[in-house]
């Protein structure tokens, strides 16, 4: 009932609070024999870690991961590999500043989960938001790195990439989309042309003591047709749930998403032809790579919005735990636009959903089809 675990066959459980000694996760269900070292995980954690530019929180966390279990190597093996047993991953908290949060012990911060945690549990660790803090998302990124290894082992290269495509009212020019740009600018933008504009925009918002929301797009390429399940195990439903579980996410769409409401049947249904490799080729991708809850083999395309950071310097009306009306403004170190650091988290959640569905697919469908000789029942 405590809901700190995600996934079915590829399953991870996270633990830890923002200002506790450490955070971490246990990844269970990872198949044996997959090469895995701390370096495989560290790269993704480095992309999420705080303090990397003036546009993110200045908390300084090295976010160094340690693998505590579930891997092994001896002289017969060229590399350290997973053993099929639980993989425990630990990240120490190094830069807590709990005194910043003394003021909010008894006050509920608007937009935060202070009131709801209080209503549910009757007490809360208010230091840095405790368990509600997005510090927990580092654990998801670590689990996601393991998920990527599983996917690549099964299907060759599965590219899971995300980018920030809108900050506040300012949207990228999609004709300038360049994935290589994402790692070159502090906003994870795929559009180099918008970077200076976003810098001025966010700097203005930050100087005014405020914050702003954003939209992230996640694309998974190399996903074979056949992952997912009908009705209650839909791939798109699981992806939407995974993205919605990320802190601050308020809206999720797949493929044409909300825009599908304005399309005609001709515009929306993705027409099919035979591709050069003998596999079906779709002439568009309004479906976002999922039909009937099952992957089509096209890129899986997801977008989500994050709300503006709730911790802002400008005073807001609130109440305290005794029911007194009061005001609050937030000290401490915060992301003025949480969308920036949500990018690697989104990739990780996509990887975990796909790895889970890949293992679930194999568990049910790794049997010969009776129609195998009849044009083949193509299977992932
Ligand atoms: C990567 C990331 C970093 C975040 N950093 C902050 C932050 O510095 N300050 C803040 O108020 N909220 C931050 N948030 C959002 C809060 O964690 C979140 O809004 C809060 O816990 C309430 O949960 P909810 O918005 O999901 O309802 C961040 C979210 C993400 C994904």
């Amino acid at each position: 009932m405590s809901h700190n675990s995600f996934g079915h066959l590829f399953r991870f459980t996270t633990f830890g609070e923002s200002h506790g000694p450490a955070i971490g996760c246990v990844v269970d269900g990872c198949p044996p024999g997959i090469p895995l070292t701390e370096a495989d995980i560290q790269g993704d954690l480095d992309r999420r870690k705080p303090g990397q530019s003036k546009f993110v929180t200045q908390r300084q966390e090295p976010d160094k991961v340690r693998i505590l279990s579930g891997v092994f190597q001896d002289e017969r093996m060229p590399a350290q590999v997973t053993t099929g047993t639980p993989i425990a991953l630990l990240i120490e908290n190094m830069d807590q500043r709990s005194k910043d949060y003394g003021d909010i012990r008894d006050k509920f911060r608007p937009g935060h989960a202070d009131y709801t945690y209080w209503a549910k549990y009757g007490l809360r660790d208010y230091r840095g938001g405790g368990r509600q803090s997005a510090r927990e998302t580092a654990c998801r990124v670590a689990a996601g790195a393991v998920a990527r290894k599983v996917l690549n082992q099964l299907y060759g290269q599965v590219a899971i990439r995300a980018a920030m495509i809108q900050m506040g009212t300012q949207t990228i020019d999609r004709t300038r989309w360049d994935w290589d740009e994402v790692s070159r600018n502090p906003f994870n933008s795929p559009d180099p042309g918008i970077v200076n504009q976003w810098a001025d925009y966010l700097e203005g918002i930050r100087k005014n003591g405020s914050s702003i929301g954003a939209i992230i797009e996640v694309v998974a390429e190399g996903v074979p047709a056949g992952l997912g399940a009908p009705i209650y195990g839909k791939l798109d439903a699981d992806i939407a749930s995974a993205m919605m579980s990320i802190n601050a996410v308020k809206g999720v769409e797949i493929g044409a998403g909300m825009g599908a409401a304005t399309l005609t049947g001709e515009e929306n249904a993705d027409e099919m032809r035979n591709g050069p490799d003998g596999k079906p080729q779709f002439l568009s991708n309004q479906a976002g790579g999922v039909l009937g809850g099952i992957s089509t083999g096209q890129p899986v395309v997801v977008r989500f919005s994050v709300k503006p950071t709730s911790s802002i310097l400008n005073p807001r009306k609130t109440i305290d735990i005794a029911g007194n009306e009061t005001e609050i403004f937030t000290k401490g170190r915060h992301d003025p636009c949480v969308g920036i650091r949500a990018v690697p988290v989104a990739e990780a959640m996509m990887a975990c959903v796909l790895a889970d569905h890949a293992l679930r697919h194999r568990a049910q469908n790794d049997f010969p089809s009776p129609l195998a000789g009849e044009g083949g029942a193509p299977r992932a």
Side-chain angles (χ1 to χ4, degrees), residues 34-379:
I34 296 179
L36 183 70
T37 63
E38 286 161 356
D40 291 323
I41 302 169
Q42 196 59 54
D44 284 347
L45 281 171
D46 288 347
R47 291 168 52 227
R48 194 216 71 102
K49 75 180 178 189
Q52 300 199 77
S53 81
K54 66 176 179 176
F55 302 110
V56 297
T57 172
Q58 294 307 301
R59 182 169 170 170
Q60 296 296 326
E61 290 289 351
D63 281 354
K64 287 284 170 229
V65 68
R66 281 174 63 203
I67 303 179
L68 302 185
S69 66
V71 292
F72 182 67
Q73 180 179 18
D74 72 11
E75 61 288 353
R76 296 165 300 172
M77 303 171 201
Q80 175 172 284
V81 294
T82 57
T83 57
T85 59
I87 302 167
L89 303 171
L90 191 77
I91 301 164
E92 282 182 57
N93 288 330
M94 309 293 279
D95 187 24
Q96 308 94 317
R97 243 192 245 165
S98 301
K99 68 171 171 38
D100 283 344
Y101 295 91
D103 282 359
I104 59 148
R105 191 188 69 178
D106 299 330
K107 294 180 183 176
F108 302 122
R109 294 168 300 169
H112 277 280
D114 297 349
Y115 170 66
T116 50
Y117 269 54
W118 181 257
K120 186 172 181 65
Y121 300 108
L123 82 166
R124 65 195 169 92
D125 177 352
Y126 51 84
R127 302 164 308 158
R131 182 71 179 158
Q132 21 158 330
S133 164
R135 182 112 190 90
E136 186 270 351
T137 60
C139 308
R140 301 163 184 243
V141 171
V146 182
R148 286 185 202 260
K149 299 279 298 194
V150 173
L151 289 166
N152 289 343
Q153 185 94 359
L154 285 172
Y155 303 126
Q157 206 52 38
V158 177
I160 300 173
R161 297 178 288 194
M164 195 159 92
I165 61 167
Q166 187 170 329
M167 184 197 290
T169 55
Q170 308 206 350
T171 309
I172 62 156
D173 178 345
R174 295 183 78 92
T175 64
R176 296 190 297 229
W177 190 298
D178 177 357
W179 279 116
D180 291 338
E181 273 304 318
V182 174
S183 58
R184 290 194 198 123
N185 65 77
F187 302 107
N188 290 320
S189 166
D191 170 9
I194 206 160
V195 171
N196 290 339
Q197 193 182 315
W198 277 2
D200 293 344
Y201 182 61
L202 192 56
E203 189 57 11
I205 286 166
R206 200 171 62 89
K207 280 194 176 138
N208 283 335
S210 191
S211 64
I212 196 74
I215 297 180
I216 314 301
E217 183 162 317
V218 198
V219 182
E221 289 170 281
V223 178
L227 300 196
I231 318 294
Y232 301 119
K234 285 182 158 187
L235 183 63
D236 40 358
D238 284 354
I239 290 170
S241 172
M243 298 306 163
M244 193 58 105
S245 79
I246 299 171
N247 310 45
V249 173
K250 293 311 277 185
V252 183
E253 60 179 24
I254 315 272
M258 295 294 175
T262 65
L263 300 178
T264 62
E266 292 82 0
E267 289 166 333
N268 182 67
D270 302 311
E271 294 184 286
M272 296 175 75
R273 282 281 177 255
N274 283 318
D277 56 1
K279 290 183 183 165
Q281 188 176 46
F282 292 87
L283 305 185
S284 54
N285 190 15
Q286 309 285 18
V290 187
L291 288 171
I294 300 171
S295 60
T296 62
Q298 289 184 282
V300 178
V301 182
V302 184
R303 277 176 299 280
F304 63 82
S305 68
V306 289
K307 68 191 192 186
T309 319
S310 303
S311 297
I312 49 177
L313 287 172
N314 297 324
R316 309 292 295 150
K317 294 187 186 72
T318 191
I319 56 171
D320 65 18
I321 55 177
N324 301 307
E325 293 186 351
T326 178
E327 283 203 336
I328 189 165
F329 69 97
T330 313
K331 289 185 263 178
R333 301 156 293 175
H334 296 282
D335 291 283
C337 176
V338 305
I340 299 171
R341 293 176 57 232
V343 164
V345 183
E347 293 175 8
M349 292 311 289
M350 175 73 96
C352 289
V353 174
L354 292 174
D356 188 36
H357 271 285
L359 298 185
R360 286 154 69 179
H361 174 70
R362 289 166 75 87
Q364 185 191 21
N365 297 296
D366 202 9
F367 295 90
S369 163
L371 299 180
E374 306 279 329
R379 287 215 309 246

